[in-house]
Amino acid sequence: GQQVMQIPQYQHVQEGEDFTTYCNSSTTLSNIQWYKQRPGGHPVFLIQLVKSGEVKKQKRLTFQFGEAKKNSSLHITATQTTDVGTYFCALIQGAQKLVFGQGTRLTINP
Amino acid sequence: DGGITQSPKYLFRKEGQNVTLSCEQNLNHDAMYWYRQDPGQGLRLIYYSQIVNDFQKGDIAEGYSVSREKKESFPLTVTSAQKNPTAFYLCASSFLGRGGPEAFFGQGTRLTVV
């Protein structure tokens, strides 16, 4: 089935710096979802992208779906300590098989 | 309140024992999932189910079994055949449908086998 590679695996930033994580696939994706998992917590849905070239914003978070629908990114502007956690991209394979990327763990120096 | 409930939160078992993790949802979701997460690792799919009395193997099903006798419930049994069962187990559910609707997760069960 389709797989996604997520990079980087880890990212450490100073508070106020920007952060970006990327999700790449070798095949065309029908959709991509993004989740956030706080330390010690469970993943929480952030957004779903479906259309080619789609860009969605949630406050300081910007989500993009590539024109070829083979990659996606999550960008956080001016990180805050509340942004700490692991960010996962996910996709539906076939009928309803929900698979996740490896995640990018974000740590922030206050 | 609607949601998805996993119990217990922490579970300790002796090596060689089977153990069953509970997952219940009252969201009227059709699909349910079990994932395993190891420290610092991503989510790996164990089993998933789209409808009652039907389920499919995920990427790491060996050593695990599930049942889906009711729409609301999707228990996971970690058998003695699972070589490294100590992990964080997450259950999730979602509606079926095109476009991949969002999944809701339970709080997880931390299983430690000694």
Side-chain angles (χ1 to χ4, degrees):
Chain A
Q2 292 176 315
Q3 298 291 334
V4 287
M5 291 296 296
Q6 199 171 345
I7 55 172
Q9 189 175 1
Y10 302 97
Q11 184 78 57
H12 180 77
V13 300
Q14 290 288 130
E15 188 175 13
E17 291 181 339
D18 293 356
F19 160 78
T20 304
T21 175
Y22 301 90
C23 196
N24 300 311
S25 172
S26 58
T27 58
T28 302
L29 304 170
S30 58
N31 66 85
I32 195 94
Q33 298 179 357
W34 286 93
Y35 292 77
K36 176 183 178 182
Q37 183 179 24
R38 294 181 184 273
H42 60 279
V44 174
F45 175 81
L46 294 176
I47 209 159
Q48 176 176 280
L49 304 173
V50 179
K51 299 178 182 177
S52 168
E54 190 170 13
V55 178
K56 289 188 176 180
K57 292 189 176 183
Q58 291 179 350
K59 297 183 180 178
R60 294 178 294 103
L61 276 62
T62 302
F63 304 85
Q64 294 190 358
F65 204 6
E67 293 289 343
K69 300 182 72 173
K70 289 185 176 182
N71 54 72
S72 180
S73 65
L74 159 59
H75 179 82
I76 302 178
T77 303
T79 55
Q80 300 175 359
T81 55
T82 54
D83 296 324
V84 165
T86 301
Y87 294 85
F88 294 97
C89 61
L91 65 129
I92 298 282
Q93 290 181 357
Q96 203 70 24
K97 184 181 180 183
L98 179 62
V99 294
F100 285 76
Q102 300 91 333
T104 296
R105 183 179 175 189
L106 173 63
T107 55
I108 299 174
N109 201 21
Chain B
D1 287 338
I4 181 166
T5 303
Q6 288 185 243
S7 61
K9 189 172 182 180
Y10 298 94
L11 190 56
F12 296 87
R13 280 294 182 268
K14 291 184 178 180
E15 192 172 345
Q17 290 182 333
N18 290 358
V19 59
T20 297
L21 281 57
S22 170
C23 179
E24 303 278 334
Q25 55 97 2
N26 60 6
L27 300 167
N28 199 33
H29 285 169
D30 303 290
M32 296 189 75
Y33 308 85
W34 274 105
Y35 295 90
R36 170 181 172 141
Q37 187 173 37
D38 294 284
Q41 301 298 310
L43 304 172
R44 293 186 290 169
L45 182 63
I46 305 172
Y47 269 97
Y48 64 107
S49 169
Q50 299 175 50
I51 56 173
V52 174
N53 293 323
D54 189 35
F55 46 83
Q56 289 77 39
K57 292 182 179 180
D59 300 318
I60 57 164
E62 185 175 352
Y64 300 97
S65 66
V66 293
S67 63
R68 187 87 187 274
E69 297 178 0
K70 298 186 300 182
K71 187 176 184 178
E72 302 79 21
S73 179
F74 192 42
L76 172 73
T77 296
V78 184
T79 75
S80 56
Q82 170 50 233
K83 294 181 180 179
N84 297 297
T86 295
F88 186 43
Y89 291 88
L90 286 158
C91 180
S93 68
S94 72
F95 285 115
L96 289 176
R98 287 189 168 187
E102 65 179 284
F104 291 82
F105 281 81
Q107 300 290 323
T109 294
R110 294 191 183 276
L111 173 64
T112 302
V113 175
V114 295

